[in-house]
Amino acid sequence: MLFVGLVSLVLLGRVIPAPTTGTTDPVWEPTTGPDLTSTSAPSDNICDEVLFGTGPLNANYGQDIAHRLHSMTVEDIKYYFGVSVTLDNGIPTVNTNLTANAQRVLPDAPVAGYDGAFLTQAMKQLDKVLSNMDDPDWAIVNYSLVEKIAHSFHMSELWARSKSHYDMLAMEPLPEEVCECLTSSQSDVIPALELLALKIKFPGLTSGQDTPPAAPPAASRKGDIGKAYKLYIETDKKGPAGSPRVARSADQIAPGYDIYAAHLPKTPDEYSLSIDVEWNKEYRRHLRNFDFTGTDEDVIRKAREELVDGDEGLEEHLDSEAGWDIWREGFKNMDDFGNYQFAAYMHCKLR
């Protein structure tokens, strides 16, 4: 628990009284969320150097953070990070409303509305999924009910694993320049989140194949388990499509960041994913400059031409024990450094 929680929480320039034992969270007070289109931020070249040139992260920080951000809610932030945030909290997420032309990325984590009658997070999350089981336009295209439940629990696992890194950063805060770049509108986080939102809604969109992305009308999609977003993307030995992994190890940590070395893999081999640094660099730059505005039809057309990364989506649906073997190994093999990068982002946003 952050020490500020004992007295008050300072969020986005606003002081919000911390709840005392036995009371409910404070009434939500509006603050200013991030401007997702703003260009007033440090340059990408400067921030690349600050974040992973001489800093503690690596070039995959955008996708790692986006993966862990995309379904976070106000209640999840409170439960896993001990901070009560306002409705205008500045923690961006992917919209679970998948209807045509709905805003794909939200500037603020929404309220989940978990049923308080349930005590455990597991039951609250299960209730949330089952309460939307008849809506084909909720959460993730072409995921079965079992897959949506597995996804919900998987995200909880990632958030729980991020907490130890978050607590460490509370004791040894990151330098201000790192946080400024990491939460800047010019960082990789929002573009990566926008791309993830597209892949969730239109799986296969960036595969480079001639077949259209999977997103038929809801009426025909209901009960149809076809092409879908690949949840455990970080296990791909070639690196997640579109962002080949760039290894970083404890013996490569930048001077002045020795305190964070314990949170890095011991050797590059333990990162185990291939390196294509130049391709990664160019794709990241292109993604930052991509225009995600417009109707679904407009963005689909542009993305199919400009964001090709070979990602064909989910390879195995969770409809058998053999399918679960693949999903389980995918979940278990996700590297912990992604959790550290997400914790760094939450540390910067919430401190």
Side-chain angles (χ1 to χ4, degrees):
M1 178 68 70
L2 289 171
F3 70 89
V4 293
L6 299 175
V7 181
S8 63
L9 301 174
V10 181
L11 297 174
L12 301 175
R14 169 172 236 136
V15 178
I16 302 173
T20 57
T21 303
T23 65
T24 59
D25 286 345
V27 176
W28 309 118
E29 300 179 32
T31 60
T32 302
D35 180 357
L36 302 186
T37 62
S38 173
T39 58
S40 58
S43 72
D44 56 355
N45 289 335
I46 292 175
C47 280
D48 282 359
E49 180 66 16
V50 167
L51 292 175
F52 55 85
T54 60
L57 307 184
N58 69 33
N60 304 303
Y61 75 91
Q63 67 173 36
D64 283 348
I65 294 169
H67 183 184
R68 291 156 179 81
L69 268 180
H70 82 270
S71 60
M72 178 152 275
T73 69
V74 165
E75 292 91 331
D76 297 324
I77 295 169
K78 170 65 175 177
Y79 184 84
Y80 291 100
F81 299 102
V83 178
S84 299
V85 298
T86 66
L87 286 176
D88 298 308
N89 49 71
I91 307 295
T93 60
V94 172
N95 194 354
T96 57
N97 175 8
L98 303 177
T99 56
N101 297 316
Q103 183 177 358
R104 289 179 294 275
V105 172
L106 305 176
D108 307 289
V111 172
Y114 293 139
D115 191 334
F118 295 116
L119 179 62
T120 65
Q121 286 297 104
M123 278 304 300
K124 291 175 181 179
Q125 291 168 339
L126 179 63
D127 174 66
K128 183 70 174 179
V129 174
L130 296 182
S131 296
N132 288 278
M133 64 190 298
D134 293 334
D135 184 358
D137 287 316
W138 183 78
I140 303 179
V141 163
N142 284 340
Y143 263 29
S144 68
L145 180 59
V146 171
E147 288 166 344
K148 288 180 178 180
I149 293 171
H151 167 261
S152 181
F153 290 172
H154 162 63
M155 296 310 302
S156 291
E157 178 82 4
L158 293 181
W159 298 331
R161 289 180 179 274
S162 299
K163 182 60 163 59
S164 62
H165 302 300
Y166 180 83
D167 289 342
M168 183 275 294
L169 290 168
M171 295 183 290
E172 295 287 345
L174 290 170
E176 188 61 38
E177 60 268 22
V178 171
C179 282
E180 182 179 356
C181 282
L182 188 54
T183 59
S184 155
S185 60
Q186 298 302 297
S187 80
D188 289 350
V189 175
I190 296 301
L193 201 60
E194 289 278 9
L195 179 61
L196 180 58
L198 279 179
K199 290 185 176 186
I200 286 174
K201 192 171 185 179
F202 307 106
L205 173 63
T206 60
S207 66
Q209 299 178 357
D210 292 334
T211 55
S220 62
R221 191 162 71 238
K222 185 174 181 180
D224 172 38
I225 304 302
K227 190 175 293 185
Y229 163 61
K230 186 175 182 180
L231 179 61
Y232 41 88
I233 56 173
E234 292 172 31
T235 65
D236 190 334
K237 294 305 179 185
K238 295 182 180 179
S243 284
R245 308 289 292 181
V246 180
R248 188 139 194 206
S249 66
D251 57 7
Q252 297 170 317
I253 191 66
Y257 288 91
D258 295 350
I259 184 68
Y260 308 112
H263 294 262
L264 289 166
K266 300 298 182 185
T267 67
D269 287 342
E270 289 187 28
Y271 218 154
S272 75
L273 298 167
S274 66
I275 305 172
D276 189 345
V277 178
E278 288 305 313
W279 194 93
N280 179 288
K281 182 178 180 180
E282 289 304 313
Y283 191 87
R284 287 175 48 247
R285 180 179 293 114
H286 186 65
L287 188 61
R288 279 196 295 250
N289 293 325
F290 185 82
D291 182 9
F292 285 96
T293 62
T295 65
D296 285 351
E297 184 178 0
D298 292 336
V299 177
I300 287 173
R301 176 181 49 78
K302 291 185 295 184
R304 291 189 69 182
E305 296 173 355
E306 302 176 29
L307 296 180
V308 175
D309 60 14
D311 186 355
E312 298 179 13
L314 189 65
E315 297 169 359
E316 185 75 29
H317 276 287
L318 188 51
D319 53 8
S320 65
E321 291 183 11
W324 173 239
D325 285 342
I326 294 174
W327 280 57
R328 180 177 57 224
E329 289 309 304
F331 292 155
K332 289 166 63 176
N333 290 334
M334 291 180 67
D335 68 84
D336 194 50
F337 191 67
N339 298 325
Y340 168 75
Q341 302 206 103
F342 174 65
Y345 180 83
M346 295 301 289
H347 159 75
C348 291
K349 295 291 282 189
L350 297 176
R351 73 178 186 177

mmCIF file of all heavy atoms in Angstrom, residues 6 11 17 21 33 36 47 56 69 73 154 159 177 192 195 205 239-240 314-315 331:
data_model
loop_
_atom_site.group_PDB
_atom_site.id
_atom_site.type_symbol
_atom_site.label_atom_id
_atom_site.label_comp_id
_atom_site.label_asym_id
_atom_site.label_seq_id
_atom_site.Cartn_x
_atom_site.Cartn_y
_atom_site.Cartn_z
ATOM 1 N N LEU A 6 -2.219 6.553 3.607
ATOM 2 C CA LEU A 6 -2.489 6.765 5.019
ATOM 3 C C LEU A 6 -3.083 8.137 5.285
ATOM 4 O O LEU A 6 -3.717 8.363 6.297
ATOM 5 C CB LEU A 6 -1.196 6.607 5.836
ATOM 6 C CG LEU A 6 -0.534 5.222 5.754
ATOM 7 C CD1 LEU A 6 0.783 5.230 6.506
ATOM 8 C CD2 LEU A 6 -1.469 4.172 6.312
ATOM 9 N N LEU A 11 -3.876 12.477 -7.098
ATOM 10 C CA LEU A 11 -4.119 11.922 -8.420
ATOM 11 C C LEU A 11 -4.353 13.030 -9.421
ATOM 12 O O LEU A 11 -5.309 13.798 -9.301
ATOM 13 C CB LEU A 11 -5.350 11.006 -8.403
ATOM 14 C CG LEU A 11 -5.236 9.762 -7.506
ATOM 15 C CD1 LEU A 11 -6.577 9.049 -7.491
ATOM 16 C CD2 LEU A 11 -4.150 8.864 -8.030
ATOM 17 N N PRO A 17 -9.391 12.798 -0.516
ATOM 18 C CA PRO A 17 -9.252 12.192 0.800
ATOM 19 C C PRO A 17 -9.303 10.677 0.718
ATOM 20 O O PRO A 17 -10.137 10.116 0.016
ATOM 21 C CB PRO A 17 -10.461 12.741 1.570
ATOM 22 C CG PRO A 17 -10.850 13.986 0.824
ATOM 23 C CD PRO A 17 -10.522 13.715 -0.611
ATOM 24 N N THR A 21 -11.088 3.314 7.477
ATOM 25 C CA THR A 21 -11.590 1.957 7.690
ATOM 26 C C THR A 21 -13.081 1.983 8.000
ATOM 27 O O THR A 21 -13.548 2.764 8.813
ATOM 28 C CB THR A 21 -10.843 1.300 8.860
ATOM 29 O OG1 THR A 21 -9.443 1.320 8.556
ATOM 30 C CG2 THR A 21 -11.315 -0.131 9.070
ATOM 31 N N GLY A 33 -8.785 14.129 -17.780
ATOM 32 C CA GLY A 33 -8.161 12.943 -18.357
ATOM 33 C C GLY A 33 -7.163 13.342 -19.419
ATOM 34 O O GLY A 33 -7.026 14.511 -19.769
ATOM 35 N N LEU A 36 -5.755 12.420 -25.792
ATOM 36 C CA LEU A 36 -5.155 11.367 -26.601
ATOM 37 C C LEU A 36 -4.625 11.871 -27.929
ATOM 38 O O LEU A 36 -3.947 11.146 -28.649
ATOM 39 C CB LEU A 36 -6.177 10.241 -26.840
ATOM 40 C CG LEU A 36 -6.754 9.597 -25.583
ATOM 41 C CD1 LEU A 36 -7.625 8.417 -25.963
ATOM 42 C CD2 LEU A 36 -5.665 9.163 -24.630
ATOM 43 N N CYS A 47 12.511 10.526 -25.561
ATOM 44 C CA CYS A 47 11.862 9.583 -24.662
ATOM 45 C C CYS A 47 12.348 8.151 -24.883
ATOM 46 O O CYS A 47 12.434 7.374 -23.929
ATOM 47 C CB CYS A 47 10.346 9.658 -24.820
ATOM 48 S SG CYS A 47 9.622 11.070 -23.926
ATOM 49 N N PRO A 56 15.075 2.204 -17.512
ATOM 50 C CA PRO A 56 14.862 0.861 -16.977
ATOM 51 C C PRO A 56 13.935 -0.038 -17.793
ATOM 52 O O PRO A 56 13.734 -1.191 -17.434
ATOM 53 C CB PRO A 56 14.234 1.151 -15.614
ATOM 54 C CG PRO A 56 13.431 2.388 -15.861
ATOM 55 C CD PRO A 56 14.244 3.212 -16.834
ATOM 56 N N LEU A 69 -3.427 -3.045 -19.567
ATOM 57 C CA LEU A 69 -4.353 -1.939 -19.355
ATOM 58 C C LEU A 69 -5.739 -2.201 -19.915
ATOM 59 O O LEU A 69 -6.724 -1.673 -19.400
ATOM 60 C CB LEU A 69 -3.823 -0.679 -20.060
ATOM 61 C CG LEU A 69 -2.943 0.318 -19.328
ATOM 62 C CD1 LEU A 69 -2.576 1.447 -20.285
ATOM 63 C CD2 LEU A 69 -3.621 0.861 -18.083
ATOM 64 N N THR A 73 -10.463 -1.641 -14.694
ATOM 65 C CA THR A 73 -11.580 -0.811 -14.249
ATOM 66 C C THR A 73 -11.207 -0.058 -12.975
ATOM 67 O O THR A 73 -10.169 -0.317 -12.357
ATOM 68 C CB THR A 73 -12.824 -1.664 -13.962
ATOM 69 O OG1 THR A 73 -12.578 -2.475 -12.799
ATOM 70 C CG2 THR A 73 -13.173 -2.562 -15.145
ATOM 71 N N HIS A 154 -7.236 -14.368 -16.302
ATOM 72 C CA HIS A 154 -5.858 -14.136 -16.763
ATOM 73 C C HIS A 154 -5.425 -12.695 -16.477
ATOM 74 O O HIS A 154 -4.304 -12.454 -16.006
ATOM 75 C CB HIS A 154 -5.771 -14.416 -18.263
ATOM 76 C CG HIS A 154 -4.576 -13.841 -18.930
ATOM 77 N ND1 HIS A 154 -3.277 -14.220 -18.625
ATOM 78 C CD2 HIS A 154 -4.466 -12.908 -19.917
ATOM 79 C CE1 HIS A 154 -2.424 -13.549 -19.384
ATOM 80 N NE2 HIS A 154 -3.115 -12.747 -20.172
ATOM 81 N N TRP A 159 -2.342 -8.561 -13.141
ATOM 82 C CA TRP A 159 -2.386 -7.426 -12.209
ATOM 83 C C TRP A 159 -1.806 -7.812 -10.850
ATOM 84 O O TRP A 159 -1.070 -7.040 -10.244
ATOM 85 C CB TRP A 159 -3.820 -6.928 -12.068
ATOM 86 C CG TRP A 159 -4.401 -6.423 -13.355
ATOM 87 C CD1 TRP A 159 -3.728 -5.860 -14.407
ATOM 88 C CD2 TRP A 159 -5.776 -6.449 -13.736
ATOM 89 N NE1 TRP A 159 -4.591 -5.537 -15.419
ATOM 90 C CE2 TRP A 159 -5.861 -5.884 -15.034
ATOM 91 C CE3 TRP A 159 -6.947 -6.885 -13.115
ATOM 92 C CZ2 TRP A 159 -7.078 -5.743 -15.718
ATOM 93 C CZ3 TRP A 159 -8.156 -6.755 -13.786
ATOM 94 C CH2 TRP A 159 -8.211 -6.189 -15.067
ATOM 95 N N GLU A 177 11.658 12.275 -15.126
ATOM 96 C CA GLU A 177 11.734 12.298 -16.586
ATOM 97 C C GLU A 177 11.253 10.986 -17.198
ATOM 98 O O GLU A 177 10.703 10.969 -18.306
ATOM 99 C CB GLU A 177 13.157 12.598 -17.055
ATOM 100 C CG GLU A 177 14.222 11.606 -16.622
ATOM 101 C CD GLU A 177 14.888 11.999 -15.315
ATOM 102 O OE1 GLU A 177 14.277 12.766 -14.540
ATOM 103 O OE2 GLU A 177 16.025 11.543 -15.091
ATOM 104 N N ALA A 192 -0.273 1.624 -28.997
ATOM 105 C CA ALA A 192 -0.348 0.178 -28.793
ATOM 106 C C ALA A 192 -1.739 -0.223 -28.321
ATOM 107 O O ALA A 192 -2.261 -1.286 -28.701
ATOM 108 C CB ALA A 192 0.709 -0.260 -27.780
ATOM 109 N N LEU A 195 -4.060 -0.117 -31.331
ATOM 110 C CA LEU A 195 -3.858 -1.291 -32.175
ATOM 111 C C LEU A 195 -4.488 -2.519 -31.537
ATOM 112 O O LEU A 195 -5.137 -3.324 -32.224
ATOM 113 C CB LEU A 195 -2.358 -1.518 -32.390
ATOM 114 C CG LEU A 195 -1.985 -2.744 -33.242
ATOM 115 C CD1 LEU A 195 -2.560 -2.619 -34.647
ATOM 116 C CD2 LEU A 195 -0.471 -2.922 -33.288
ATOM 117 N N LEU A 205 -7.034 -8.526 -38.732
ATOM 118 C CA LEU A 205 -6.999 -7.312 -39.550
ATOM 119 C C LEU A 205 -5.606 -7.014 -40.087
ATOM 120 O O LEU A 205 -5.456 -6.591 -41.234
ATOM 121 C CB LEU A 205 -7.490 -6.124 -38.716
ATOM 122 C CG LEU A 205 -7.370 -4.722 -39.326
ATOM 123 C CD1 LEU A 205 -8.230 -4.612 -40.578
ATOM 124 C CD2 LEU A 205 -7.765 -3.662 -38.311
ATOM 125 N N GLY A 239 8.201 -13.538 -31.275
ATOM 126 C CA GLY A 239 7.761 -12.247 -30.753
ATOM 127 C C GLY A 239 6.344 -12.012 -31.193
ATOM 128 O O GLY A 239 5.899 -12.525 -32.213
ATOM 129 N N PRO A 240 5.545 -11.259 -30.423
ATOM 130 C CA PRO A 240 4.189 -10.967 -30.843
ATOM 131 C C PRO A 240 4.200 -10.281 -32.187
ATOM 132 O O PRO A 240 5.016 -9.400 -32.419
ATOM 133 C CB PRO A 240 3.642 -10.056 -29.755
ATOM 134 C CG PRO A 240 4.778 -9.723 -28.883
ATOM 135 C CD PRO A 240 5.931 -10.614 -29.213
ATOM 136 N N LEU A 314 -6.000 -15.734 -32.916
ATOM 137 C CA LEU A 314 -5.978 -16.931 -32.077
ATOM 138 C C LEU A 314 -5.783 -18.194 -32.914
ATOM 139 O O LEU A 314 -6.430 -18.379 -33.933
ATOM 140 C CB LEU A 314 -7.286 -17.017 -31.295
ATOM 141 C CG LEU A 314 -7.383 -18.073 -30.195
ATOM 142 C CD1 LEU A 314 -6.395 -17.774 -29.083
ATOM 143 C CD2 LEU A 314 -8.812 -18.102 -29.645
ATOM 144 N N GLU A 315 -4.875 -19.050 -32.446
ATOM 145 C CA GLU A 315 -4.594 -20.284 -33.172
ATOM 146 C C GLU A 315 -5.421 -21.466 -32.669
ATOM 147 O O GLU A 315 -5.680 -22.403 -33.410
ATOM 148 C CB GLU A 315 -3.101 -20.618 -33.049
ATOM 149 C CG GLU A 315 -2.201 -19.558 -33.672
ATOM 150 C CD GLU A 315 -0.737 -19.767 -33.308
ATOM 151 O OE1 GLU A 315 -0.443 -20.734 -32.563
ATOM 152 O OE2 GLU A 315 0.100 -18.972 -33.756
ATOM 153 N N PHE A 331 -0.125 -18.759 -20.946
ATOM 154 C CA PHE A 331 -0.222 -17.908 -19.758
ATOM 155 C C PHE A 331 1.024 -18.048 -18.880
ATOM 156 O O PHE A 331 1.594 -17.061 -18.410
ATOM 157 C CB PHE A 331 -1.448 -18.273 -18.930
ATOM 158 C CG PHE A 331 -2.766 -17.944 -19.589
ATOM 159 C CD1 PHE A 331 -3.916 -18.646 -19.247
ATOM 160 C CD2 PHE A 331 -2.864 -16.939 -20.542
ATOM 161 C CE1 PHE A 331 -5.143 -18.343 -19.838
ATOM 162 C CE2 PHE A 331 -4.082 -16.631 -21.136
ATOM 163 C CZ PHE A 331 -5.213 -17.333 -20.789
#
